[in-house]
Amino acid sequence: MSLIESFVQNHVDLLKRNDYIDPSLYKEYGVKSGLRNEDGKGVLAGLTNISQIISEKNVDGKKQPCDGELWYRGHRINELIEDLGDELGFEKIAYLLIMGVLPDDKELAEFKTVLGEARTLPANFTRDIIMEAPTGDIMKSMMRSILAYSYYDHNVLDNSVGNSLRQCLEMISTFPQFAAYAYHSYNHYKKGGSMYIHLPDPSLSAAENLLSLLRPDRKYTPLEAKILDTALILHMEHGGGNNSSFTARVVTSAGSDTYSTMTAAMASLKGSRHGGANLRFISMMSDIREHVRDWYDRDEVAAYIQKIVNKEAFDRTGLIYGIGHAVYTISDPRKIILKDYLRQLVREKGCFDDELALLENMEAVAPGIIAKARNLPQPPDPNIDFYSGALYYMLDVPPSLFIAFFAIARIVGWSAHRLEELITSNKIIRPAYKSVMKTEA
């Protein structure tokens, strides 16, 4: 054992003892733990024009839970997806979130061209930066790529709106390559697999390029591209109060540059309580597949779900990942959209019927089991992770890329929030902390 390891081992208890704060003090001083009220509602920390979540409405003067709604720049997400039809809409919705309005055909064509041309990485960047330090932590590799990319920017510290917009668009364009190349490098150097470094096609959409970059044969079906495109749109932004978008605004308010801001937002997203939740869902599903013999038997599925809730199985936390949401009390509108695509994908591939049956049985029994165990007033509804995780699994996306896909989408929301913060605020976000330390006589 090294000297520093020995020191740490001998001082952990001291650290825990002196850093512990009695939870009752939060109530005594009216402090909102996690910037949340006791009922889970967020404490207002700012204003935004970008997005909104609606989870309750006034009925006869009283607030009542309602089916969840997600709005982007004054448009319901359900209606935006419906209006797209078969069109791949990542670029159109990205324009909406960043610019504030839907583009016309000419504006959209120009925007697509700009993003397509920005997909080119600097010479030898993939070899010298991404392949130089392969890791299974794709998010960490992407963070390294973001910071390294900044060294190629001659105006890296220029925080003007125009320059920041350019930097944001370049990040949106290059994120798929950062992720795909990081995975292929890891798969080759650490796992002994083949490595594919395909060049992006400027004429393809973000979703098409992502599938093309990942797959050895670069092939995908129109439905696969549409499903991934829709999932990316649904993950772009979420109400402005999510942890990573707030991080982007806090770092922006400090006067930091775009690359540092996006790296900080990535660090937030990769946490297990934020974007990492879908990995826990996949791990849970693997465990359930292993221990439930008949996926069509609802009673058997229910019995094992009960074991997980009772902390007798899986990770012993009692949590059913993918069920329930911190904001949506009745339904997650994003989940409803993805559930329909899941069924379409199962039909197209002609397989995964067993997987679909398992998911539907879980959706039928898990909410009631959870509600009874926790004395909830109503059963929680599956959230977007419940179906996005399943869709990525059926699209043969490696689990190590799940959070990276989230980042490829959410970079749009982070960009919108960074630009809005630059335009509307000139103050650093500096929250107050109540000191409860004991003073020495």
Side-chain angles (χ1 to χ4, degrees), residues 1-60:
M1 183 181 296
S2 68
L3 180 61
I4 191 170
E5 288 172 331
S6 177
F7 179 89
V8 168
Q9 189 176 72
N10 293 331
H11 288 76
V12 165
D13 288 341
L14 176 65
L15 185 65
K16 288 182 177 179
R17 186 164 61 250
N18 289 326
D19 276 357
Y20 176 78
I21 294 177
D22 187 338
S24 66
L25 294 177
Y26 285 88
K27 188 171 185 179
E28 179 180 340
Y29 291 109
V31 176
K32 315 299 184 184
S33 179
L35 292 183
R36 291 270 153 186
N37 290 309
E38 290 184 359
D39 60 5
K41 293 182 175 61
V43 177
L44 289 177
L47 304 173
T48 183
N49 278 314
I50 297 168
S51 64
Q52 180 183 18
I53 293 173
I54 296 176
S55 60
E56 59 184 18
K57 294 185 176 179
N58 284 320
V59 179
D60 297 328

Short mmCIF file of all heavy atoms in Angstrom, two decimals, residues 1-60:
data_model
loop_
_atom_site.label_atom_id
_atom_site.label_comp_id
_atom_site.label_asym_id
_atom_site.label_seq_id
_atom_site.Cartn_x
_atom_site.Cartn_y
_atom_site.Cartn_z
N MET A 1 0.85 -1.19 0.00
CA MET A 1 0.00 0.00 0.00
C MET A 1 0.89 1.25 0.00
O MET A 1 1.82 1.35 0.79
CB MET A 1 -0.92 0.01 1.22
CG MET A 1 -1.89 1.19 1.26
SD MET A 1 -2.93 1.19 2.75
CE MET A 1 -3.86 -0.32 2.52
N SER A 2 0.57 2.20 -0.91
CA SER A 2 1.37 3.41 -1.00
C SER A 2 1.08 4.33 0.19
O SER A 2 0.11 4.14 0.93
CB SER A 2 1.06 4.16 -2.30
OG SER A 2 -0.27 4.68 -2.27
N LEU A 3 1.95 5.32 0.36
CA LEU A 3 1.80 6.26 1.47
C LEU A 3 0.47 6.99 1.39
O LEU A 3 -0.23 7.15 2.40
CB LEU A 3 2.96 7.25 1.48
CG LEU A 3 2.94 8.30 2.60
CD1 LEU A 3 2.99 7.62 3.96
CD2 LEU A 3 4.10 9.27 2.44
N ILE A 4 0.10 7.45 0.18
CA ILE A 4 -1.15 8.21 0.05
C ILE A 4 -2.36 7.32 0.28
O ILE A 4 -3.34 7.74 0.89
CB ILE A 4 -1.24 8.90 -1.34
CG1 ILE A 4 -2.40 9.89 -1.36
CG2 ILE A 4 -1.37 7.88 -2.46
CD1 ILE A 4 -2.42 10.78 -2.59
N GLU A 5 -2.30 6.06 -0.16
CA GLU A 5 -3.41 5.14 0.07
C GLU A 5 -3.58 4.85 1.56
O GLU A 5 -4.69 4.77 2.08
CB GLU A 5 -3.18 3.84 -0.70
CG GLU A 5 -3.35 3.99 -2.20
CD GLU A 5 -2.93 2.73 -2.95
OE1 GLU A 5 -2.06 2.00 -2.45
OE2 GLU A 5 -3.47 2.50 -4.05
N SER A 6 -2.45 4.71 2.26
CA SER A 6 -2.51 4.47 3.70
C SER A 6 -3.09 5.68 4.42
O SER A 6 -3.92 5.54 5.34
CB SER A 6 -1.09 4.19 4.23
OG SER A 6 -1.10 4.04 5.63
N PHE A 7 -2.67 6.87 4.01
CA PHE A 7 -3.19 8.10 4.62
C PHE A 7 -4.71 8.19 4.43
O PHE A 7 -5.45 8.49 5.38
CB PHE A 7 -2.52 9.32 3.99
CG PHE A 7 -3.02 10.63 4.53
CD1 PHE A 7 -2.44 11.21 5.64
CD2 PHE A 7 -4.09 11.29 3.92
CE1 PHE A 7 -2.90 12.42 6.15
CE2 PHE A 7 -4.57 12.49 4.42
CZ PHE A 7 -3.97 13.06 5.54
N VAL A 8 -5.16 7.93 3.21
CA VAL A 8 -6.59 8.01 2.91
C VAL A 8 -7.38 7.03 3.76
O VAL A 8 -8.42 7.36 4.36
CB VAL A 8 -6.84 7.75 1.40
CG1 VAL A 8 -8.32 7.54 1.14
CG2 VAL A 8 -6.30 8.91 0.57
N GLN A 9 -6.90 5.79 3.82
CA GLN A 9 -7.60 4.76 4.58
C GLN A 9 -7.73 5.15 6.06
O GLN A 9 -8.75 4.89 6.70
CB GLN A 9 -6.86 3.43 4.45
CG GLN A 9 -7.62 2.25 5.02
CD GLN A 9 -6.88 0.95 4.78
OE1 GLN A 9 -5.84 0.70 5.39
NE2 GLN A 9 -7.39 0.13 3.88
N ASN A 10 -6.71 5.81 6.58
CA ASN A 10 -6.71 6.18 8.01
C ASN A 10 -7.50 7.45 8.31
O ASN A 10 -7.72 7.77 9.48
CB ASN A 10 -5.27 6.36 8.49
CG ASN A 10 -4.49 5.06 8.51
OD1 ASN A 10 -5.07 3.99 8.68
ND2 ASN A 10 -3.18 5.15 8.31
N HIS A 11 -7.90 8.17 7.27
CA HIS A 11 -8.57 9.45 7.51
C HIS A 11 -10.00 9.54 6.97
O HIS A 11 -10.64 10.57 7.14
CB HIS A 11 -7.73 10.59 6.91
CG HIS A 11 -6.48 10.87 7.67
ND1 HIS A 11 -5.36 10.08 7.59
CD2 HIS A 11 -6.17 11.86 8.56
CE1 HIS A 11 -4.42 10.56 8.37
NE2 HIS A 11 -4.88 11.63 8.98
N VAL A 12 -10.49 8.50 6.36
CA VAL A 12 -11.84 8.53 5.81
C VAL A 12 -12.88 8.74 6.90
O VAL A 12 -13.81 9.55 6.76
CB VAL A 12 -12.13 7.24 5.01
CG1 VAL A 12 -13.64 7.10 4.76
CG2 VAL A 12 -11.39 7.24 3.69
N ASP A 13 -12.76 8.02 8.00
CA ASP A 13 -13.74 8.15 9.08
C ASP A 13 -13.74 9.56 9.66
O ASP A 13 -14.80 10.12 9.98
CB ASP A 13 -13.46 7.13 10.19
CG ASP A 13 -13.80 5.71 9.77
OD1 ASP A 13 -14.57 5.57 8.80
OD2 ASP A 13 -13.29 4.76 10.40
N LEU A 14 -12.56 10.14 9.81
CA LEU A 14 -12.47 11.52 10.30
C LEU A 14 -13.17 12.48 9.35
O LEU A 14 -13.91 13.38 9.77
CB LEU A 14 -11.00 11.91 10.46
CG LEU A 14 -10.72 13.37 10.87
CD1 LEU A 14 -11.25 13.63 12.27
CD2 LEU A 14 -9.22 13.67 10.78
N LEU A 15 -12.94 12.28 8.07
CA LEU A 15 -13.56 13.13 7.05
C LEU A 15 -15.08 13.01 7.10
O LEU A 15 -15.80 14.02 7.09
CB LEU A 15 -13.03 12.73 5.67
CG LEU A 15 -13.47 13.59 4.49
CD1 LEU A 15 -12.91 15.00 4.61
CD2 LEU A 15 -13.01 12.95 3.19
N LYS A 16 -15.58 11.80 7.16
CA LYS A 16 -17.03 11.58 7.19
C LYS A 16 -17.65 12.20 8.45
O LYS A 16 -18.74 12.78 8.39
CB LYS A 16 -17.34 10.08 7.15
CG LYS A 16 -17.09 9.43 5.80
CD LYS A 16 -17.46 7.95 5.85
CE LYS A 16 -17.28 7.29 4.49
NZ LYS A 16 -17.62 5.85 4.52
N ARG A 17 -16.95 12.08 9.56
CA ARG A 17 -17.48 12.60 10.83
C ARG A 17 -17.58 14.13 10.79
O ARG A 17 -18.57 14.72 11.24
CB ARG A 17 -16.58 12.14 11.97
CG ARG A 17 -17.10 12.49 13.36
CD ARG A 17 -16.38 11.68 14.43
NE ARG A 17 -14.94 11.93 14.46
CZ ARG A 17 -14.02 11.04 14.09
NH1 ARG A 17 -14.40 9.85 13.64
NH2 ARG A 17 -12.73 11.34 14.15
N ASN A 18 -16.59 14.78 10.24
CA ASN A 18 -16.57 16.25 10.23
C ASN A 18 -17.35 16.88 9.09
O ASN A 18 -17.67 18.07 9.14
CB ASN A 18 -15.12 16.75 10.22
CG ASN A 18 -14.42 16.50 11.54
OD1 ASN A 18 -15.03 16.57 12.60
ND2 ASN A 18 -13.14 16.19 11.48
N ASP A 19 -17.66 16.11 8.07
CA ASP A 19 -18.43 16.64 6.95
C ASP A 19 -19.92 16.32 7.04
O ASP A 19 -20.72 16.82 6.25
CB ASP A 19 -17.88 16.09 5.62
CG ASP A 19 -16.70 16.91 5.13
OD1 ASP A 19 -16.37 17.91 5.79
OD2 ASP A 19 -16.12 16.56 4.08
N TYR A 20 -20.31 15.49 7.99
CA TYR A 20 -21.71 15.10 8.10
C TYR A 20 -22.56 16.28 8.58
O TYR A 20 -22.17 17.01 9.50
CB TYR A 20 -21.86 13.94 9.08
CG TYR A 20 -23.30 13.54 9.32
CD1 TYR A 20 -24.00 12.78 8.40
CD2 TYR A 20 -23.96 13.96 10.48
CE1 TYR A 20 -25.32 12.43 8.61
CE2 TYR A 20 -25.29 13.61 10.71
CZ TYR A 20 -25.96 12.85 9.76
OH TYR A 20 -27.27 12.52 9.97
N ILE A 21 -23.71 16.47 7.94
CA ILE A 21 -24.67 17.49 8.35
C ILE A 21 -26.00 16.82 8.63
O ILE A 21 -26.52 16.07 7.79
CB ILE A 21 -24.84 18.57 7.24
CG1 ILE A 21 -23.53 19.34 7.06
CG2 ILE A 21 -25.98 19.53 7.59
CD1 ILE A 21 -23.57 20.36 5.95
N ASP A 22 -26.54 17.07 9.77
CA ASP A 22 -27.83 16.49 10.19
C ASP A 22 -28.92 16.92 9.21
O ASP A 22 -29.15 18.12 9.02
CB ASP A 22 -28.16 16.97 11.60
CG ASP A 22 -29.39 16.27 12.17
OD1 ASP A 22 -30.20 15.74 11.39
OD2 ASP A 22 -29.54 16.28 13.41
N PRO A 23 -29.61 15.97 8.57
CA PRO A 23 -30.65 16.32 7.60
C PRO A 23 -31.75 17.20 8.17
O PRO A 23 -32.38 17.97 7.44
CB PRO A 23 -31.21 14.94 7.19
CG PRO A 23 -30.09 14.00 7.43
CD PRO A 23 -29.39 14.52 8.64
N SER A 24 -31.99 17.12 9.48
CA SER A 24 -33.06 17.92 10.09
C SER A 24 -32.75 19.43 10.01
O SER A 24 -33.66 20.26 10.07
CB SER A 24 -33.26 17.52 11.55
OG SER A 24 -32.12 17.85 12.33
N LEU A 25 -31.47 19.77 9.87
CA LEU A 25 -31.09 21.18 9.79
C LEU A 25 -31.60 21.84 8.50
O LEU A 25 -31.82 23.05 8.47
CB LEU A 25 -29.56 21.33 9.88
CG LEU A 25 -28.93 20.94 11.22
CD1 LEU A 25 -27.41 21.08 11.15
CD2 LEU A 25 -29.49 21.79 12.35
N TYR A 26 -31.75 21.04 7.45
CA TYR A 26 -32.27 21.60 6.20
C TYR A 26 -33.68 22.15 6.42
O TYR A 26 -34.02 23.24 5.95
CB TYR A 26 -32.28 20.53 5.11
CG TYR A 26 -30.91 20.24 4.54
CD1 TYR A 26 -30.09 19.28 5.12
CD2 TYR A 26 -30.44 20.92 3.43
CE1 TYR A 26 -28.83 19.01 4.61
CE2 TYR A 26 -29.18 20.66 2.91
CZ TYR A 26 -28.38 19.71 3.51
OH TYR A 26 -27.13 19.46 3.00
N LYS A 27 -34.48 21.40 7.15
CA LYS A 27 -35.84 21.85 7.43
C LYS A 27 -35.83 23.02 8.41
O LYS A 27 -36.59 23.98 8.26
CB LYS A 27 -36.67 20.69 7.99
CG LYS A 27 -38.15 21.01 8.14
CD LYS A 27 -38.95 19.77 8.49
CE LYS A 27 -40.43 20.08 8.52
NZ LYS A 27 -41.24 18.87 8.84
N GLU A 28 -34.96 22.95 9.39
CA GLU A 28 -34.89 24.01 10.41
C GLU A 28 -34.56 25.37 9.78
O GLU A 28 -35.13 26.39 10.16
CB GLU A 28 -33.83 23.65 11.45
CG GLU A 28 -33.65 24.70 12.54
CD GLU A 28 -32.60 24.31 13.56
OE1 GLU A 28 -32.28 23.10 13.65
OE2 GLU A 28 -32.10 25.22 14.26
N TYR A 29 -33.64 25.38 8.82
CA TYR A 29 -33.22 26.64 8.21
C TYR A 29 -33.92 26.92 6.88
O TYR A 29 -33.62 27.92 6.22
CB TYR A 29 -31.71 26.63 7.98
CG TYR A 29 -30.91 26.66 9.26
CD1 TYR A 29 -30.20 25.54 9.68
CD2 TYR A 29 -30.87 27.80 10.05
CE1 TYR A 29 -29.47 25.56 10.86
CE2 TYR A 29 -30.15 27.83 11.23
CZ TYR A 29 -29.44 26.71 11.63
OH TYR A 29 -28.73 26.75 12.80
N GLY A 30 -34.86 26.06 6.48
CA GLY A 30 -35.60 26.28 5.24
C GLY A 30 -34.75 26.13 3.99
O GLY A 30 -34.99 26.80 2.98
N VAL A 31 -33.73 25.27 4.06
CA VAL A 31 -32.85 25.05 2.92
C VAL A 31 -33.39 23.91 2.06
O VAL A 31 -33.78 22.86 2.58
CB VAL A 31 -31.42 24.70 3.39
CG1 VAL A 31 -30.52 24.36 2.21
CG2 VAL A 31 -30.84 25.86 4.19
N LYS A 32 -33.43 24.13 0.76
CA LYS A 32 -33.96 23.14 -0.18
C LYS A 32 -32.84 22.21 -0.63
O LYS A 32 -31.99 22.60 -1.42
CB LYS A 32 -34.59 23.81 -1.40
CG LYS A 32 -35.49 24.99 -1.08
CD LYS A 32 -36.67 24.61 -0.21
CE LYS A 32 -37.60 25.80 0.01
NZ LYS A 32 -38.70 25.51 0.93
N SER A 33 -32.81 21.00 -0.11
CA SER A 33 -31.78 20.04 -0.49
C SER A 33 -31.91 19.69 -1.97
O SER A 33 -32.98 19.31 -2.43
CB SER A 33 -31.91 18.77 0.36
OG SER A 33 -30.95 17.83 -0.01
N GLY A 34 -30.81 19.83 -2.71
CA GLY A 34 -30.86 19.57 -4.14
C GLY A 34 -31.68 20.59 -4.90
O GLY A 34 -32.14 20.32 -6.02
N LEU A 35 -31.88 21.77 -4.32
CA LEU A 35 -32.74 22.80 -4.92
C LEU A 35 -34.12 22.25 -5.23
O LEU A 35 -34.71 22.55 -6.27
CB LEU A 35 -32.09 23.40 -6.17
CG LEU A 35 -30.84 24.24 -5.94
CD1 LEU A 35 -30.34 24.83 -7.25
CD2 LEU A 35 -31.12 25.37 -4.95
N ARG A 36 -34.64 21.43 -4.32
CA ARG A 36 -35.97 20.85 -4.48
C ARG A 36 -36.78 21.04 -3.21
O ARG A 36 -36.26 20.90 -2.09
CB ARG A 36 -35.87 19.35 -4.77
CG ARG A 36 -35.29 19.03 -6.13
CD ARG A 36 -36.37 18.94 -7.18
NE ARG A 36 -35.86 19.26 -8.51
CZ ARG A 36 -36.61 19.36 -9.60
NH1 ARG A 36 -37.90 19.19 -9.51
NH2 ARG A 36 -36.08 19.68 -10.75
N ASN A 37 -38.07 21.37 -3.37
CA ASN A 37 -38.97 21.40 -2.23
C ASN A 37 -39.25 19.97 -1.77
O ASN A 37 -38.93 19.00 -2.48
CB ASN A 37 -40.29 22.09 -2.61
CG ASN A 37 -40.11 23.58 -2.82
OD1 ASN A 37 -39.53 24.27 -1.99
ND2 ASN A 37 -40.57 24.09 -3.95
N GLU A 38 -39.89 19.82 -0.63
CA GLU A 38 -40.17 18.48 -0.11
C GLU A 38 -41.07 17.68 -1.03
O GLU A 38 -41.04 16.46 -1.05
CB GLU A 38 -40.80 18.58 1.29
CG GLU A 38 -39.81 19.05 2.36
CD GLU A 38 -40.42 19.04 3.74
OE1 GLU A 38 -41.60 18.68 3.87
OE2 GLU A 38 -39.70 19.37 4.70
N ASP A 39 -41.90 18.37 -1.81
CA ASP A 39 -42.78 17.67 -2.74
C ASP A 39 -42.09 17.36 -4.06
O ASP A 39 -42.70 16.83 -5.00
CB ASP A 39 -44.06 18.48 -3.01
CG ASP A 39 -43.78 19.85 -3.62
OD1 ASP A 39 -42.59 20.14 -3.92
OD2 ASP A 39 -44.73 20.63 -3.80
N GLY A 40 -40.79 17.67 -4.16
CA GLY A 40 -40.03 17.34 -5.35
C GLY A 40 -39.98 18.41 -6.40
O GLY A 40 -39.26 18.29 -7.39
N LYS A 41 -40.75 19.48 -6.23
CA LYS A 41 -40.77 20.55 -7.23
C LYS A 41 -39.48 21.38 -7.13
O LYS A 41 -38.99 21.65 -6.05
CB LYS A 41 -41.99 21.44 -7.05
CG LYS A 41 -43.31 20.72 -7.34
CD LYS A 41 -44.48 21.68 -7.18
CE LYS A 41 -45.78 21.00 -7.59
NZ LYS A 41 -46.08 19.82 -6.76
N GLY A 42 -38.99 21.78 -8.27
CA GLY A 42 -37.75 22.54 -8.32
C GLY A 42 -37.90 23.96 -7.81
O GLY A 42 -38.93 24.60 -8.00
N VAL A 43 -36.88 24.43 -7.14
CA VAL A 43 -36.82 25.82 -6.71
C VAL A 43 -36.40 26.66 -7.92
O VAL A 43 -35.44 26.33 -8.60
CB VAL A 43 -35.80 26.00 -5.57
CG1 VAL A 43 -35.68 27.45 -5.18
CG2 VAL A 43 -36.21 25.15 -4.37
N LEU A 44 -37.11 27.74 -8.18
CA LEU A 44 -36.78 28.55 -9.34
C LEU A 44 -35.38 29.15 -9.22
O LEU A 44 -35.04 29.77 -8.22
CB LEU A 44 -37.81 29.67 -9.51
CG LEU A 44 -39.21 29.24 -9.97
CD1 LEU A 44 -40.13 30.45 -10.02
CD2 LEU A 44 -39.15 28.57 -11.33
N ALA A 45 -34.57 28.94 -10.28
CA ALA A 45 -33.20 29.44 -10.27
C ALA A 45 -32.92 30.36 -11.45
O ALA A 45 -31.83 30.86 -11.59
CB ALA A 45 -32.22 28.27 -10.30
N GLY A 46 -33.94 30.59 -12.28
CA GLY A 46 -33.74 31.44 -13.44
C GLY A 46 -34.96 31.45 -14.34
O GLY A 46 -35.99 30.85 -14.02
N LEU A 47 -34.84 32.14 -15.45
CA LEU A 47 -35.91 32.23 -16.45
C LEU A 47 -35.38 31.74 -17.79
O LEU A 47 -34.19 31.86 -18.09
CB LEU A 47 -36.39 33.68 -16.59
CG LEU A 47 -36.87 34.37 -15.32
CD1 LEU A 47 -37.14 35.85 -15.60
CD2 LEU A 47 -38.13 33.69 -14.79
N THR A 48 -36.27 31.17 -18.62
CA THR A 48 -35.85 30.68 -19.93
C THR A 48 -36.99 30.74 -20.93
O THR A 48 -38.16 30.59 -20.56
CB THR A 48 -35.31 29.25 -19.84
OG1 THR A 48 -34.83 28.84 -21.13
CG2 THR A 48 -36.38 28.26 -19.38
N ASN A 49 -36.64 30.95 -22.18
CA ASN A 49 -37.59 30.88 -23.29
C ASN A 49 -37.49 29.56 -24.04
O ASN A 49 -38.21 29.34 -25.02
CB ASN A 49 -37.31 32.01 -24.29
CG ASN A 49 -37.91 33.33 -23.87
OD1 ASN A 49 -39.08 33.39 -23.47
ND2 ASN A 49 -37.13 34.40 -23.96
N ILE A 50 -36.58 28.69 -23.63
CA ILE A 50 -36.20 27.55 -24.46
C ILE A 50 -37.17 26.38 -24.38
O ILE A 50 -37.57 25.82 -25.40
CB ILE A 50 -34.77 27.10 -24.10
CG1 ILE A 50 -33.78 28.23 -24.42
CG2 ILE A 50 -34.39 25.83 -24.85
CD1 ILE A 50 -32.40 28.04 -23.85
N SER A 51 -37.54 25.98 -23.18
CA SER A 51 -38.39 24.80 -23.05
C SER A 51 -39.20 24.86 -21.77
O SER A 51 -38.96 25.70 -20.91
CB SER A 51 -37.55 23.52 -23.08
OG SER A 51 -36.69 23.47 -21.99
N GLN A 52 -40.15 23.94 -21.66
CA GLN A 52 -41.02 23.90 -20.49
C GLN A 52 -41.55 22.49 -20.29
O GLN A 52 -41.84 21.77 -21.26
CB GLN A 52 -42.20 24.87 -20.65
CG GLN A 52 -43.15 24.90 -19.46
CD GLN A 52 -44.35 25.82 -19.68
OE1 GLN A 52 -44.64 26.18 -20.83
NE2 GLN A 52 -45.03 26.18 -18.62
N ILE A 53 -41.67 22.10 -19.03
CA ILE A 53 -42.32 20.85 -18.66
C ILE A 53 -43.60 21.19 -17.92
O ILE A 53 -43.61 22.04 -17.04
CB ILE A 53 -41.42 20.00 -17.75
CG1 ILE A 53 -40.19 19.52 -18.50
CG2 ILE A 53 -42.19 18.80 -17.19
CD1 ILE A 53 -39.19 18.82 -17.61
N ILE A 54 -44.68 20.53 -18.29
CA ILE A 54 -45.96 20.69 -17.58
C ILE A 54 -46.34 19.33 -17.01
O ILE A 54 -46.48 18.35 -17.75
CB ILE A 54 -47.07 21.22 -18.50
CG1 ILE A 54 -46.71 22.63 -19.00
CG2 ILE A 54 -48.42 21.22 -17.78
CD1 ILE A 54 -47.70 23.20 -19.99
N SER A 55 -46.51 19.26 -15.70
CA SER A 55 -46.88 18.00 -15.07
C SER A 55 -48.12 18.14 -14.19
O SER A 55 -48.59 17.17 -13.61
CB SER A 55 -45.72 17.46 -14.22
OG SER A 55 -45.39 18.39 -13.21
N GLU A 56 -48.64 19.38 -14.07
CA GLU A 56 -49.86 19.62 -13.31
C GLU A 56 -50.57 20.85 -13.85
O GLU A 56 -49.96 21.71 -14.48
CB GLU A 56 -49.54 19.81 -11.82
CG GLU A 56 -48.59 20.96 -11.53
CD GLU A 56 -48.22 21.08 -10.06
OE1 GLU A 56 -48.41 20.08 -9.33
OE2 GLU A 56 -47.78 22.16 -9.65
N LYS A 57 -51.87 20.90 -13.64
CA LYS A 57 -52.68 22.02 -14.11
C LYS A 57 -53.67 22.42 -13.01
O LYS A 57 -54.00 21.63 -12.12
CB LYS A 57 -53.42 21.64 -15.39
CG LYS A 57 -52.50 21.41 -16.59
CD LYS A 57 -53.27 21.16 -17.87
CE LYS A 57 -52.32 21.02 -19.05
NZ LYS A 57 -53.05 20.76 -20.33
N ASN A 58 -54.13 23.66 -13.10
CA ASN A 58 -55.12 24.15 -12.14
C ASN A 58 -56.50 23.64 -12.50
O ASN A 58 -56.98 23.84 -13.63
CB ASN A 58 -55.12 25.68 -12.11
CG ASN A 58 -53.93 26.24 -11.35
OD1 ASN A 58 -53.55 25.70 -10.31
ND2 ASN A 58 -53.34 27.30 -11.86
N VAL A 59 -57.15 22.98 -11.56
CA VAL A 59 -58.51 22.49 -11.73
C VAL A 59 -59.33 23.01 -10.57
O VAL A 59 -59.09 22.64 -9.41
CB VAL A 59 -58.56 20.94 -11.78
CG1 VAL A 59 -60.01 20.47 -11.92
CG2 VAL A 59 -57.70 20.40 -12.91
N ASP A 60 -60.26 23.91 -10.86
CA ASP A 60 -61.09 24.53 -9.83
C ASP A 60 -60.23 25.18 -8.74
O ASP A 60 -60.49 25.07 -7.54
CB ASP A 60 -62.03 23.50 -9.19
CG ASP A 60 -63.02 22.92 -10.18
OD1 ASP A 60 -63.41 23.66 -11.11
OD2 ASP A 60 -63.37 21.74 -10.05
#
